[in-house]
Amino acid sequence: MLLWDNAGYHVSGGLVVPENVSLIGLLPYSPELNPVENLWHYLRSHHWSNRVYPDYEALRDAATEA
């Protein structure tokens, strides 16, 4: 079994799935099945909201510190 998030960029007409693999797609919004969703929500609400970063390095530093 392969559990995936059904993102649009994961869908391809040329995708060949071996016979011994079953694909199971997550629901469009399923934070209880995809724990990183909870992390993103926490970071956005506690560390990254209402802030402006001068460049990518500053954003990366803030993400690392969070």
Side-chain angles (χ1 to χ4, degrees), residues 36-48 66:
V36 76
E37 294 290 339
N38 294 321
L39 173 63
W40 285 122
H41 175 71
Y42 177 82
L43 290 173
R44 282 193 306 262
S45 62
H46 291 91
H47 294 282
W48 294 337

Side-chain angles (χ1 to χ4, degrees), residues 15-29:
L15 178 65
V16 177
V17 180
E19 289 184 28
N20 64 341
V21 174
S22 297
L23 300 177
I24 298 175
L26 291 176
L27 299 172
Y29 181 72

